[in-house]
């Protein structure tokens, strides 16, 4: 079993900041990547930001320069610092983990329960 516990969502005014955290625990032997996706109402889930085991990062064009993803490897925790938030950033944000268990050769995707981010005045 793998658990992802998210925190940090909430309501913020346009131009404000929020920091999301996601801690992974359980049967994790090797992590390929951790990241954040978001889902707007009526739309498909989309990648926001991702960090690989090697430290490479990838961002959606819409958040480049405003969001920063970081990772604490020792704690299996990923963070998303969101600055200069806009109303269009309003969505449910999901933590994502791609990892494998010991004695397994395949990597699997795991998802958090989602945390609501609302940007509104």
């Amino acid at each position: 079993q793998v658990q992802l516990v998210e925190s940090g969502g909430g309501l913020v005014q346009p131009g404000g900041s929020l920091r999301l955290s996601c801690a992974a625990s359980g049967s994790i032997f090797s992590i390929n990547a951790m990241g954040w996706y978001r889902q707007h109402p009526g739309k498909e889930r989309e990648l926001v930001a991702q960090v690989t085991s090697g430290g490479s990062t990838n961002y959606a064009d819409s958040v480049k320069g405003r969001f920063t993803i970081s990772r604490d490897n020792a704690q299996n925790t990923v963070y998303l610092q969101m600055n200069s938030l806009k109303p269009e950033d309003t969505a449910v944000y999901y933590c994502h983990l791609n990892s494998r268990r010991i004695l397994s050769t395949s990597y699997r995707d795991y998802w958090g329960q989602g945390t609501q981010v609302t940007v509104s005045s």
Side-chain angles (χ1 to χ4, degrees):
Q1 289 281 47
V2 172
Q3 296 81 38
L4 298 176
V5 178
E6 303 157 339
S7 61
L11 173 65
V12 65
Q13 292 187 343
S17 298
L18 282 175
R19 189 190 194 211
L20 304 183
S21 300
C22 174
S25 62
S27 302
I28 301 169
F29 177 70
S30 175
I31 293 177
N32 179 42
M34 294 187 75
W36 293 91
Y37 285 68
R38 67 186 180 187
Q39 189 165 19
H40 296 96
K43 296 193 175 181
E44 293 194 356
R45 199 171 294 185
E46 63 181 13
L47 175 69
V48 177
Q50 184 182 66
V51 56
T52 69
S53 58
S56 298
T57 57
N58 183 33
Y59 294 92
D61 288 342
S62 59
V63 307
K64 284 180 181 177
R66 300 187 298 121
F67 292 9
T68 302
I69 191 168
S70 60
R71 182 176 151 186
D72 182 336
N73 291 333
Q75 300 294 325
N76 286 343
T77 300
V78 66
Y79 305 95
L80 185 68
Q81 178 66 42
M82 304 185 292
N83 298 329
S84 302
L85 282 160
K86 304 175 181 180
E88 51 263 43
D89 294 318
T90 296
V92 178
Y93 285 70
Y94 294 91
C95 179
H96 170 256
L97 167 71
N98 184 256
S99 68
R100 70 177 177 91
R101 299 183 294 177
I102 192 168
L103 301 181
S104 173
T105 59
S106 61
Y107 284 83
R108 288 185 55 185
D109 292 316
Y110 300 91
W111 297 93
Q113 78 281 3
T115 184
Q116 177 70 45
V117 171
T118 302
V119 184
S120 175
S121 55

